[in-house]
Amino acid sequence: MCGIAGILYFNTSTVANPALVKKMTDAMAHRGPNADGFFSEDNLLLGHRRLSVIDLSEGANQPFTDHTQRYHMVFNGELFNFREVKAGITDHVFRTSGDTEVLIEAFARRGMDCLSQFKGMFAFALWDRVEKTLYLVRDRLGVKPLYYYADDHCLVFASEIRAILASGLAPAKLNKAAVANFLQYQSVSPPDSIVSGIHELPAAHFMRVKQGRLEQHCYWDITALNPVTTTDPSVIKKHIYELLQQAVSQRLVSDVPIGAFLSGGIDSSAVVALMSRVSISKPVTFNIAFEEKAFDESAYAEIVAKKFNTEHHKIVLKPEAMLEELGHALNAMDTPTGDGINTYVVSKAIKKAGLTVALSGVGGDELFAGYPFFKKYYQLHKQSFAWKASAGLRKLAAGFAGNSKWHNLLATGGAGIADIYPVLRQIVSPLEIEKLTRLKNTRDVVAALLKEKEKAISQFPSFSQVSIAEYGGYTQQTLLKDTDQMGMAVSLEIREPFFDHELIEYVLGIPDKIKYPHYPKQLLVESLGDLLPPEIVHRTKQGFTFPWQIWMKNELKSFCESHIDRICERDFINADNLKKKWTDFLLNDKQSGWMELWLFVILENWLEKNSI
């Protein structure tokens, strides 16, 4: 796991200044504390920060050059099946034992077609000295980030927004259109970012840059349906188990120690259970515990740890300690997010224990219909004709529903995924955004993307339609961003077996009647046989979250209030309405949720930190 950066000037006579790319890599030194490296050639600069995980030798440092000296590459991520790909390259004597050399030699032979061979999480930049062409590439699911800025003079790219800003080549200007997107979905959707002019390369895309021209291409499509070839549940469950076991096993390839997040929920417990089956060493597990019993899941984590004989670490988090950690967690945010601080805290604990890699159970809910709105959409989709026919009545009812999700759901025009999913996932509704800000007629990026792909998505079963929406929505824009930025803030590589693309392709093709969860994530649980303790399977779902509602009214009150006051001074905020909402929240008004206000606090903190 690493951080990459680079600058390409479009005027070939421009001599690039190596000091600029050094500023960029210094800005994300946390992503790679073990080594840094640089390559410069006329109008091109490449920079790299390395977190050593596989092949710890200096010979595996980057930028890396192929055996012909034609290609130069900086690479961030892991290729979990690189050994299998390496075995097929028989005309080259490898000088390293890692995946970077395998990737560059595979590219030298097959070009972009080599991507189909690899399983992994990655973002890389490759310079072709002969063709004078730069390639920027991102993995299928968007696990690893890659941002860029381009104007008439140059292209600047990096693993983090802060690195691009450090170059001084991109203006630190707020993207106000993205503010509405952030408030609605708690983070900013690709291809935009919170900074005007800085974009995110979409997942499963590569960019070719030649003679000042930027071309983007999609190399993998999640909406390409691969229906299962059998309807026998036992066969399907057996194959899911095999794919999961393979995903976990491949993510244990490392030359440094590996741990695991263990919340006590089904997903993290499944990962730990499979680790115990395939790992040659005892799993090392970590759990965050709270004094507030309503949020504490440590007892369930201990049940799992005991069953699989893990080396278990319980970290009790008190409000006072959270206050101490909050500043560090907020500084870790490369891009503002309403979530993720929980990931920072547990990542820091794992790193402090001496580990560099950890497995996480994130992604299980999205794939196996673990959220309540999966069933909501399933029922609405089954009754789509009646839903459309009752449009007039629903709009009338919406007028009595107040400013709530029910209001927005009743007001939707149809029962398709592009109509329903955005409402189910939004934090601050469009009506509330108009009330609390001066932002008008903002574009719903998530809804627009789903509308564009609605025909392709509609061929999938109902539960899989929601999963696909999740992968393009909350999962990519929030969950994976948080996992990456919070883990890498403490130099911890986090690997997610549920984001194995072969597993995802298979499960998306399974019919609803087999995937329907009569109890939480039934298909996943039954695919694992008797691996999971019944106490874990049949417990009430909590989700790994902090007691913000309590803390914001007590220990964090002054912190939040000061940020609310300061953001109210900005020209895009309706100060009177936002301050009233804060007051109503303190008075326990049910219409004023903590998350809506927390987003404004987070946003102001990020803008101040980055002088925007």
Side-chain angles (χ1 to χ4, degrees), residues 377 380-381 383-385 387-388 412-417 419-420 454:
Y377 178 73
L380 286 171
H381 198 237
Q383 302 164 10
S384 59
F385 177 78
W387 185 261
K388 292 176 182 178
T412 55
I417 194 67
D419 302 299
I420 303 299
E454 192 165 31

Side-chain angles (χ1 to χ4, degrees), residues 286 347-355:
F286 295 81
S347 295
K348 187 173 181 178
I350 293 175
K351 187 67 178 182
K352 189 176 180 181
L355 303 181

Side-chain angles (χ1 to χ4, degrees), residues 374-585:
F374 275 85
K375 284 187 177 181
K376 290 180 182 178
Y377 178 73
Y378 174 79
Q379 294 297 335
L380 286 171
H381 198 237
K382 281 182 67 176
Q383 302 164 10
S384 59
F385 177 78
W387 185 261
K388 292 176 182 178
S390 63
L393 186 61
R394 285 190 287 103
K395 287 184 179 179
L396 179 63
F400 296 96
N403 185 23
S404 65
K405 282 191 178 182
W406 271 112
H407 170 280
N408 295 300
L409 196 58
L410 290 168
T412 55
I417 194 67
D419 302 299
I420 303 299
Y421 176 80
V423 177
L424 297 175
R425 260 302 179 192
Q426 66 190 12
I427 304 297
V428 185
S429 71
L431 286 175
E432 192 73 355
I433 290 172
E434 288 193 10
K435 180 180 176 182
L436 300 176
T437 74
R438 304 184 190 281
L439 304 167
K440 304 295 182 184
N441 301 317
T442 54
R443 180 173 178 263
D444 188 328
V445 181
V446 173
L449 177 64
L450 290 174
K451 185 63 72 174
E452 179 184 322
K453 295 187 174 183
E454 192 165 31
K455 184 176 180 180
I457 297 174
S458 66
Q459 66 182 321
F460 285 83
S462 297
F463 288 129
S464 294
Q465 289 184 33
V466 182
S467 293
I468 293 170
E470 282 283 86
Y471 289 126
Y474 169 76
T475 301
Q476 186 181 158
Q477 69 192 33
T478 302
L479 187 64
L480 289 174
K481 281 183 183 177
D482 289 347
T483 302
D484 175 82
Q485 66 180 344
M486 294 305 181
M488 292 309 297
V490 295
S491 305
L492 178 75
E493 173 176 302
I494 301 175
R495 300 175 176 179
E496 306 98 342
F498 284 108
F499 283 97
D500 182 279
H501 79 273
E502 291 181 347
L503 172 67
I504 288 172
E505 287 175 344
Y506 184 75
V507 175
L508 288 181
I510 296 173
D512 286 334
K513 64 180 181 180
I514 295 176
K515 198 185 294 184
Y516 191 92
H518 296 281
Y519 60 84
K521 284 169 278 196
Q522 181 177 350
L523 179 58
L524 170 60
V525 171
E526 293 182 355
S527 296
L528 295 171
D530 60 355
L531 265 185
L532 299 184
E535 301 96 320
I536 302 303
V537 174
H538 300 293
R539 50 167 290 200
T540 301
K541 181 178 175 62
Q542 284 179 254
F544 181 31
T545 184
F546 290 169
W548 295 110
Q549 175 108 0
I550 299 170
W551 291 352
M552 285 173 67
K553 294 178 181 178
N554 297 282
E555 292 86 357
L556 294 177
K557 180 182 175 182
S558 60
F559 174 84
C560 293
E561 199 156 71
S562 63
H563 282 76
I564 291 288
D565 287 341
R566 292 201 295 275
I567 200 170
C568 281
E569 297 173 6
R570 296 187 182 266
D571 61 4
F572 61 88
I573 296 294
N574 190 326
D576 291 342
N577 288 348
L578 182 57
K579 287 183 178 180
K580 182 180 185 304
K581 192 172 186 69
W582 171 249
T583 301
D584 290 344
F585 167 73

Side-chain angles (χ1 to χ4, degrees), residues 180-218:
N181 183 219
F182 169 74
L183 294 174
Q184 192 169 359
Y185 295 109
Q186 71 177 303
S187 56
V188 181
S189 307
D192 295 324
S193 81
I194 196 69
V195 180
S196 183
I198 296 181
H199 301 284
E200 185 177 0
L201 184 67
H205 279 67
F206 70 87
M207 177 187 290
R208 180 186 291 111
V209 186
K210 185 173 183 178
Q211 296 179 344
R213 183 177 179 182
L214 284 60
E215 297 178 349
Q216 287 192 27
H217 302 270
C218 179

